[in-house]
Amino acid sequence: MALASLLRRTISSSSNWIVVVGGAQRRGWCSAAAAAPPPHALSLSLSLSLSLSPPRFLPYSNFSSSSAAVPTTSTRPTSDANLLNVINSEVKYALESDDHHRVEETPTGFPFEIIDKPGEHTISLTRKYQDEVIKVEVHMTSLVTGNHEGGGDDDEEDSSKGGNPSIPLAVSVVKGNGQFLEFGVTAYADEIAIESLSVKDSNASQDDIPYEGPDFGSLDENLQRAFHKYLEIRGIKPSTTNFLHEYMINKDSREYLVWLKNLKKFIEK
């Protein structure tokens, strides 16, 4: 209580002094009544003045650190430059090859129409045979290594094909009722191997999982020979597949060159 009373008296005395001094300054005169305040009043008045003064802030300075600076230009990494050099070498090698611009002449009596769309991995063949439509999807040439473990006649047969290029074919024989036969064929030089055979229906639901038949090699040999003859009559024979082999080699060279050029454009951006 005594401390509170002292503070009130001090604040009152200081306030009177401030008013008198302020009044004297406004009137341009000074009276004896505006004597110097007691020390404790001056100290408390200064403290109150500081506490009531608004805070002062340093002016905003737009500073930046050199470590946070964003570069205005970018430099290509060394690895990208090295990659471009390698790609350029590959492009030059591909251009020197004769395969990318060589066009195979269609042999006389070739029964199919060729549909070759640039940029695609496959080509399509189509023809009509009596009341059937024969469709063939030809994939890029692959290389068979013939490195199989085990023994037996089948392994000896595979070894005889080792290193020989082959062409995977999907052959469809379509009739008007929606049903068709689909053959999985691998064409070697002067030889055609049927890998699979299934009966399908274009009207069937995609959710259905039809039975695709047994392994073709397990069928009776007479039945296997009859199906080989069936395909041969419809144009799937060595003279056809040998031409397709050369055609697909050239297509692969063309597509590879285009792929390299597109790759180079992307890296250079």
Side-chain angles (χ1 to χ4, degrees):
M1 294 293 293
L3 179 60
S5 177
L6 177 60
L7 287 173
R8 283 196 297 270
R9 290 195 303 269
T10 304
I11 292 173
S12 177
S13 174
S14 301
S15 301
N16 294 334
W17 173 75
I18 293 172
V19 172
V20 171
V21 172
Q25 290 175 343
R26 286 195 297 269
R27 291 174 175 82
W29 54 270
C30 181
S31 66
H40 67 275
L42 181 61
S43 175
L44 183 57
S45 175
L46 180 59
S47 299
L48 288 172
S49 176
L50 291 175
S51 63
L52 294 176
S53 298
R56 297 169 58 193
F57 299 96
L58 293 175
Y60 173 76
S61 176
N62 185 15
F63 64 94
S64 62
S65 173
S66 58
S67 61
V70 178
T72 57
T73 59
S74 59
T75 57
R76 188 182 303 278
T78 305
S79 58
D80 287 10
N82 293 337
L83 178 59
L84 282 173
N85 290 335
V86 176
I87 293 176
N88 286 330
S89 298
E90 286 295 315
V91 170
K92 181 180 178 181
Y93 178 80
L95 288 172
E96 293 173 353
S97 172
D98 294 333
D99 293 336
H100 72 276
H101 58 73
R102 186 173 63 187
V103 178
E104 290 293 327
E105 294 185 4
T106 304
T108 304
F110 188 77
F112 292 96
E113 176 189 356
I114 301 176
I115 303 172
D116 184 355
K117 296 181 180 180
E120 293 192 358
H121 184 73
T122 62
I123 66 171
S124 298
L125 309 179
T126 183
R127 70 166 295 195
K128 294 194 69 175
Y129 177 78
Q130 297 181 358
D131 61 340
E132 303 170 346
V133 177
I134 315 300
K135 299 179 180 179
V136 184
E137 187 176 78
V138 186
H139 294 258
M140 288 292 184
T141 303
S142 59
L143 190 65
V144 179
T145 61
N147 294 329
H148 302 287
E149 295 182 359
D153 295 337
D154 291 340
D155 291 330
E156 292 178 2
E157 182 180 352
D158 289 338
S159 296
S160 66
K161 300 174 183 176
N164 293 330
S166 62
I167 306 174
L169 309 175
V171 183
S172 298
V173 181
V174 185
K175 291 191 175 183
N177 58 2
Q179 286 189 327
F180 61 96
L181 296 181
E182 186 174 83
F183 294 83
V185 176
T186 302
Y188 301 92
D190 300 321
E191 181 183 356
I192 294 174
I194 299 177
E195 308 291 347
S196 63
L197 168 60
S198 59
V199 182
K200 296 188 176 182
D201 190 343
S202 58
N203 299 320
S205 172
Q206 295 183 352
D207 297 331
D208 296 341
I209 305 177
Y211 173 68
E212 296 188 353
D215 180 72
F216 188 83
S218 65
L219 296 177
D220 180 80
E221 290 185 0
N222 292 328
L223 187 56
Q224 292 186 44
R225 283 194 292 267
F227 274 118
H228 275 90
K229 189 66 177 179
Y230 180 88
L231 289 180
E232 181 180 350
I233 292 173
R234 287 158 176 79
I236 309 302
K237 50 189 177 181
S239 60
T240 300
T241 56
N242 288 345
F243 163 74
L244 291 175
H245 171 260
E246 296 297 328
Y247 188 97
M248 295 307 290
I249 289 178
N250 297 339
K251 177 177 174 61
D252 182 68
S253 297
R254 292 194 303 271
E255 299 295 348
Y256 178 63
L257 180 58
V258 173
W259 177 79
L260 281 174
K261 290 181 177 179
N262 291 336
L263 191 63
K264 178 182 176 181
K265 290 180 182 178
F266 179 84
I267 301 296
E268 286 178 336
K269 289 182 180 179

